[in-house]
Short mmCIF file of all heavy atoms in Angstrom, two decimals:
data_model
loop_
_atom_site.label_atom_id
_atom_site.label_comp_id
_atom_site.label_asym_id
_atom_site.label_seq_id
_atom_site.Cartn_x
_atom_site.Cartn_y
_atom_site.Cartn_z
N ARG A 1 0.86 -1.19 0.00
CA ARG A 1 0.05 0.04 0.04
C ARG A 1 0.87 1.20 0.03
O ARG A 1 1.95 1.28 0.61
CB ARG A 1 -0.87 -0.03 1.17
CG ARG A 1 -2.09 1.05 1.20
CD ARG A 1 -3.03 0.67 2.12
NE ARG A 1 -4.35 1.53 2.13
CZ ARG A 1 -5.27 1.72 1.27
NH1 ARG A 1 -5.28 0.84 0.23
NH2 ARG A 1 -6.14 2.51 1.37
N ILE A 2 0.38 2.35 -0.62
CA ILE A 2 1.14 3.53 -0.64
C ILE A 2 0.29 4.71 -0.63
O ILE A 2 -0.77 4.84 -1.21
CB ILE A 2 1.99 3.58 -2.09
CG1 ILE A 2 2.90 4.81 -2.13
CG2 ILE A 2 1.00 3.50 -3.33
CD1 ILE A 2 3.81 4.71 -3.25
N THR A 3 0.67 5.69 0.23
CA THR A 3 -0.07 6.99 0.27
C THR A 3 0.28 7.91 -0.76
O THR A 3 1.16 7.77 -1.66
CB THR A 3 0.29 7.52 1.75
OG1 THR A 3 1.61 8.03 1.79
CG2 THR A 3 0.19 6.58 2.92
N THR A 4 -0.40 8.99 -0.70
CA THR A 4 -0.18 10.12 -1.76
C THR A 4 1.31 10.63 -1.57
O THR A 4 1.85 10.97 -2.50
CB THR A 4 -1.26 11.17 -1.52
OG1 THR A 4 -2.55 10.66 -1.69
CG2 THR A 4 -0.83 12.30 -2.59
N GLY A 5 1.80 10.71 -0.34
CA GLY A 5 3.01 11.29 -0.06
C GLY A 5 4.14 10.22 -0.32
O GLY A 5 5.32 10.64 -0.11
N GLY A 6 3.88 8.99 -0.50
CA GLY A 6 4.87 8.02 -0.94
C GLY A 6 5.13 7.07 0.26
O GLY A 6 6.13 6.18 -0.03
N ALA A 7 4.49 7.15 1.38
CA ALA A 7 4.81 6.22 2.51
C ALA A 7 4.29 4.87 2.12
O ALA A 7 3.11 4.71 1.49
CB ALA A 7 4.06 6.67 3.78
N THR A 8 5.02 3.81 2.39
CA THR A 8 4.68 2.31 1.93
C THR A 8 4.58 1.48 3.12
O THR A 8 5.19 1.59 4.13
CB THR A 8 5.62 1.88 0.88
OG1 THR A 8 6.98 1.84 1.46
CG2 THR A 8 5.68 2.77 -0.38
N ASN A 9 3.77 0.38 2.90
CA ASN A 9 3.67 -0.67 3.82
C ASN A 9 3.65 -1.93 2.85
O ASN A 9 2.94 -2.06 1.84
CB ASN A 9 2.41 -0.63 4.64
CG ASN A 9 2.39 0.31 5.65
OD1 ASN A 9 3.37 0.30 6.49
ND2 ASN A 9 1.72 1.45 5.62
N TYR A 10 4.28 -3.02 3.46
CA TYR A 10 4.32 -4.29 2.63
C TYR A 10 4.04 -5.46 3.51
O TYR A 10 4.26 -5.40 4.67
CB TYR A 10 5.81 -4.48 2.13
CG TYR A 10 6.23 -3.48 1.05
CD1 TYR A 10 6.96 -2.39 1.36
CD2 TYR A 10 5.90 -3.74 -0.42
CE1 TYR A 10 7.32 -1.46 0.43
CE2 TYR A 10 6.43 -2.79 -1.32
CZ TYR A 10 7.03 -1.71 -0.89
OH TYR A 10 7.46 -0.74 -1.84
N ALA A 11 3.40 -6.51 2.98
CA ALA A 11 3.29 -7.73 3.62
C ALA A 11 4.64 -8.31 3.90
O ALA A 11 5.60 -8.13 3.07
CB ALA A 11 2.51 -8.76 2.85
N ASP A 12 4.85 -8.91 5.04
CA ASP A 12 6.16 -9.49 5.42
C ASP A 12 6.59 -10.42 4.23
O ASP A 12 7.90 -10.58 4.06
CB ASP A 12 6.10 -10.16 6.65
CG ASP A 12 6.07 -9.24 7.86
OD1 ASP A 12 6.31 -8.06 7.75
OD2 ASP A 12 5.58 -9.64 9.05
N SER A 13 5.73 -11.18 3.60
CA SER A 13 6.11 -12.24 2.62
C SER A 13 6.66 -11.71 1.57
O SER A 13 7.27 -12.42 0.72
CB SER A 13 4.89 -13.11 2.40
OG SER A 13 3.84 -12.32 1.89
N VAL A 14 6.45 -10.33 1.17
CA VAL A 14 7.03 -9.77 -0.16
C VAL A 14 7.95 -8.57 0.15
O VAL A 14 8.52 -8.14 -0.74
CB VAL A 14 5.83 -9.18 -0.91
CG1 VAL A 14 4.74 -10.16 -1.16
CG2 VAL A 14 5.24 -7.94 -0.25
N LYS A 15 8.17 -8.30 1.45
CA LYS A 15 9.08 -7.28 1.69
C LYS A 15 10.57 -7.60 1.36
O LYS A 15 11.05 -8.69 1.50
CB LYS A 15 9.14 -6.97 3.28
CG LYS A 15 9.89 -5.70 3.71
CD LYS A 15 9.65 -5.34 5.23
CE LYS A 15 8.19 -5.10 5.36
NZ LYS A 15 7.90 -4.81 6.97
N GLY A 16 11.20 -6.59 0.52
CA GLY A 16 12.52 -6.83 0.09
C GLY A 16 12.50 -7.35 -1.38
O GLY A 16 13.51 -7.39 -2.12
N ARG A 17 11.36 -7.86 -1.93
CA ARG A 17 11.28 -8.38 -3.27
C ARG A 17 10.28 -7.52 -4.07
O ARG A 17 10.57 -7.35 -5.34
CB ARG A 17 10.63 -9.95 -3.05
CG ARG A 17 11.59 -10.72 -2.46
CD ARG A 17 11.02 -12.31 -2.54
NE ARG A 17 9.83 -12.45 -1.93
CZ ARG A 17 8.65 -12.81 -2.67
NH1 ARG A 17 8.73 -13.04 -3.98
NH2 ARG A 17 7.51 -13.01 -2.16
N PHE A 18 9.25 -7.03 -3.44
CA PHE A 18 8.28 -6.31 -4.32
C PHE A 18 8.48 -4.76 -3.94
O PHE A 18 8.77 -4.35 -2.65
CB PHE A 18 6.74 -6.48 -4.04
CG PHE A 18 6.45 -7.90 -4.44
CD1 PHE A 18 7.29 -8.88 -5.00
CD2 PHE A 18 5.12 -8.38 -4.25
CE1 PHE A 18 6.91 -10.12 -5.30
CE2 PHE A 18 4.68 -9.54 -4.61
CZ PHE A 18 5.53 -10.48 -5.21
N THR A 19 8.17 -3.89 -4.95
CA THR A 19 8.29 -2.48 -4.66
C THR A 19 6.93 -1.81 -5.26
O THR A 19 6.67 -1.94 -6.56
CB THR A 19 9.40 -1.90 -5.37
OG1 THR A 19 10.70 -2.53 -4.79
CG2 THR A 19 9.55 -0.33 -5.03
N ILE A 20 6.29 -1.01 -4.46
CA ILE A 20 5.10 -0.25 -4.99
C ILE A 20 5.39 1.02 -5.16
O ILE A 20 6.24 1.77 -4.39
CB ILE A 20 3.91 -0.41 -3.94
CG1 ILE A 20 2.55 0.21 -4.55
CG2 ILE A 20 4.23 0.25 -2.65
CD1 ILE A 20 1.47 -0.05 -3.78
N SER A 21 4.95 1.71 -6.20
CA SER A 21 5.19 3.12 -6.63
C SER A 21 3.91 3.68 -7.29
O SER A 21 2.88 2.86 -7.58
CB SER A 21 6.41 3.22 -7.45
OG SER A 21 6.14 2.57 -8.65
N ARG A 22 3.88 5.01 -7.39
CA ARG A 22 2.79 5.68 -8.02
C ARG A 22 3.11 6.89 -8.84
O ARG A 22 4.12 7.48 -8.56
CB ARG A 22 1.76 5.96 -7.04
CG ARG A 22 2.09 7.02 -5.91
CD ARG A 22 1.05 7.08 -4.96
NE ARG A 22 -0.06 7.64 -5.30
CZ ARG A 22 -1.31 7.66 -4.60
NH1 ARG A 22 -1.34 7.14 -3.28
NH2 ARG A 22 -2.44 8.23 -4.92
N ASP A 23 2.31 7.18 -9.81
CA ASP A 23 2.41 8.43 -10.49
C ASP A 23 1.16 9.28 -10.12
O ASP A 23 0.12 8.94 -10.57
CB ASP A 23 2.38 8.18 -11.94
CG ASP A 23 2.64 9.39 -12.83
OD1 ASP A 23 2.34 10.54 -12.33
OD2 ASP A 23 3.13 9.34 -13.93
N ASN A 24 1.22 10.28 -9.29
CA ASN A 24 0.21 10.97 -8.68
C ASN A 24 -0.50 11.87 -9.94
O ASN A 24 -1.70 12.01 -9.77
CB ASN A 24 0.58 12.11 -7.70
CG ASN A 24 0.92 11.27 -6.33
OD1 ASN A 24 0.31 10.17 -6.01
ND2 ASN A 24 1.77 11.79 -5.58
N ALA A 25 0.32 12.31 -10.85
CA ALA A 25 -0.27 13.05 -11.95
C ALA A 25 -1.27 12.30 -12.76
O ALA A 25 -2.16 12.79 -13.38
CB ALA A 25 0.87 13.66 -12.84
N LYS A 26 -0.99 10.97 -12.91
CA LYS A 26 -1.84 10.14 -13.74
C LYS A 26 -2.68 9.12 -13.03
O LYS A 26 -3.44 8.34 -13.51
CB LYS A 26 -0.88 9.20 -14.69
CG LYS A 26 -0.06 10.03 -15.66
CD LYS A 26 0.70 9.03 -16.49
CE LYS A 26 1.50 9.84 -17.60
NZ LYS A 26 2.35 8.99 -18.38
N ASN A 27 -2.65 9.29 -11.54
CA ASN A 27 -3.32 8.37 -10.70
C ASN A 27 -3.27 6.96 -11.02
O ASN A 27 -4.20 6.14 -11.35
CB ASN A 27 -4.85 8.72 -10.60
CG ASN A 27 -5.12 10.17 -9.95
OD1 ASN A 27 -4.44 10.46 -8.99
ND2 ASN A 27 -6.08 10.77 -10.59
N THR A 28 -1.91 6.50 -11.22
CA THR A 28 -1.56 5.15 -11.55
C THR A 28 -0.63 4.66 -10.41
O THR A 28 0.28 5.24 -9.99
CB THR A 28 -0.88 5.20 -12.96
OG1 THR A 28 -1.70 5.76 -13.93
CG2 THR A 28 -0.42 3.81 -13.30
N VAL A 29 -0.89 3.47 -10.25
CA VAL A 29 0.03 2.67 -9.20
C VAL A 29 0.64 1.46 -9.94
O VAL A 29 0.11 0.83 -10.85
CB VAL A 29 -0.78 2.26 -8.03
CG1 VAL A 29 -1.92 1.27 -8.34
CG2 VAL A 29 0.11 1.73 -6.94
N PHE A 30 1.87 1.13 -9.53
CA PHE A 30 2.67 0.10 -10.01
C PHE A 30 3.08 -0.94 -8.98
O PHE A 30 3.24 -0.49 -7.81
CB PHE A 30 3.81 0.53 -10.77
CG PHE A 30 3.53 1.62 -11.76
CD1 PHE A 30 3.65 3.03 -11.38
CD2 PHE A 30 3.29 1.32 -13.13
CE1 PHE A 30 3.33 4.03 -12.29
CE2 PHE A 30 3.03 2.29 -14.02
CZ PHE A 30 3.07 3.63 -13.61
#
């Protein structure tokens, strides 16, 4: 999960392997 400001939270099972990011201008999340 990611906030508008860029703060993130990950499940323990994916931490270190997955990265969430977003483009606020396009309201898109990756």
Side-chain angles (χ1 to χ4, degrees):
R1 193 161 178 81
I2 184 169
T3 68
T4 301
T8 58
N9 287 293
Y10 296 92
D12 288 339
S13 60
V14 307
K15 191 171 297 184
R17 300 187 298 120
F18 291 8
T19 302
I20 188 170
S21 61
R22 65 189 292 168
D23 184 337
N24 288 331
K26 297 181 178 180
N27 289 327
T28 301
V29 65
F30 307 92

